[in-house]
Amino acid sequence: MASNRLTDRETVLGAVSAALGDVVTEDRVLLTLQAHELALVHRFGVYLEARLRRELMQYGLTVDLDYDRQGDLRKLLPARPDRDDERRFRPDLIVHRRGCDTHNLLVVEWKKKAGDTMLKCLEKRIRSLVVNEDKHPSYDYQLGVLANSGNDGVRWRAFDSRGPVDDWQHVGPS
């Protein structure tokens, strides 16, 4: 792993998987009631923070929901061919150092019962946030995760600068 990376990928992905398992186990009612995705993201963030406590303290990182800042500026999505301008952007969850874009560990986008078209669009978004191709704005997250929840649990897939880390994973009730 490159020396500018905060922590190893396996540590972060293990914490993500365990925290998703905690959501499915401890907060299953949110899935069965089809609660708003922010309720699910909040609980995931609580569990993720507990699982990454050592790394958060070591690197001075914070878990934030709907964080819309890049330094002291608004966070923007890169312009796309189907849009004329950049758009304001609030990732569902990020692990980062506030006010600094050199310590962006994880970005998470979460949807409920999303179809293939939406998942492909979100995958492109995640990939643009973890790949630094000298685009403006550049966020350079170490890892990105796309989560898709349903009544039967959560499917998720992780991305790094090279693309998908693995196939879709499923965390469901035991």
Side-chain angles (χ1 to χ4, degrees), residues 38-56:
L38 287 178
L40 294 161
V41 172
H42 167 71
R43 296 309 303 159
F44 170 69
V46 167
Y47 299 128
L48 185 66
E49 190 170 57
R51 299 222 176 241
L52 287 176
R53 186 166 318 281
R54 191 181 93 229
E55 289 78 9
L56 296 175

Side-chain angles (χ1 to χ4, degrees), residues 56-113:
L56 296 175
M57 290 176 59
Q58 179 179 356
Y59 297 106
L61 304 177
T62 303
V63 175
D64 280 318
L65 306 179
D66 275 354
Y67 193 81
D68 68 345
R69 297 283 132 194
Q70 178 183 21
D72 60 352
L73 303 173
R74 292 183 315 155
K75 191 172 289 223
L76 299 172
L77 283 173
R80 298 187 326 210
D82 61 333
R83 292 195 308 244
D84 290 335
D85 60 350
E86 297 173 326
R87 289 187 23 209
R88 191 170 185 176
F89 174 55
R90 298 181 331 238
D92 291 325
L93 180 142
I94 60 175
V95 179
H96 69 130
R97 184 178 297 163
R98 292 178 185 150
C100 168
D101 283 325
T102 60
H103 290 81
N104 289 336
L105 178 62
L106 177 69
V107 59
V108 177
E109 282 293 307
W110 190 304
K111 291 295 176 212
K112 289 180 3 184
K113 297 183 178 181

Side-chain angles (χ1 to χ4, degrees), residues 86-158:
E86 297 173 326
R87 289 187 23 209
R88 191 170 185 176
F89 174 55
R90 298 181 331 238
D92 291 325
L93 180 142
I94 60 175
V95 179
H96 69 130
R97 184 178 297 163
R98 292 178 185 150
C100 168
D101 283 325
T102 60
H103 290 81
N104 289 336
L105 178 62
L106 177 69
V107 59
V108 177
E109 282 293 307
W110 190 304
K111 291 295 176 212
K112 289 180 3 184
K113 297 183 178 181
D116 287 342
T117 302
M118 173 62 77
L119 292 175
K120 286 186 189 321
C121 179
L122 289 171
E123 180 178 326
K124 285 181 186 177
R125 178 182 293 177
I126 289 285
R127 291 183 75 167
S128 76
L129 296 169
V130 297
V131 176
N132 183 357
E133 297 176 344
D134 296 324
K135 292 181 182 175
H136 176 76
S138 174
Y139 300 107
D140 200 24
Y141 285 92
Q142 183 174 326
L143 289 167
V145 167
L146 177 55
N148 188 23
S149 60
N151 294 348
D152 64 339
V154 181
R155 289 180 59 229
W156 67 283
R157 191 170 197 190

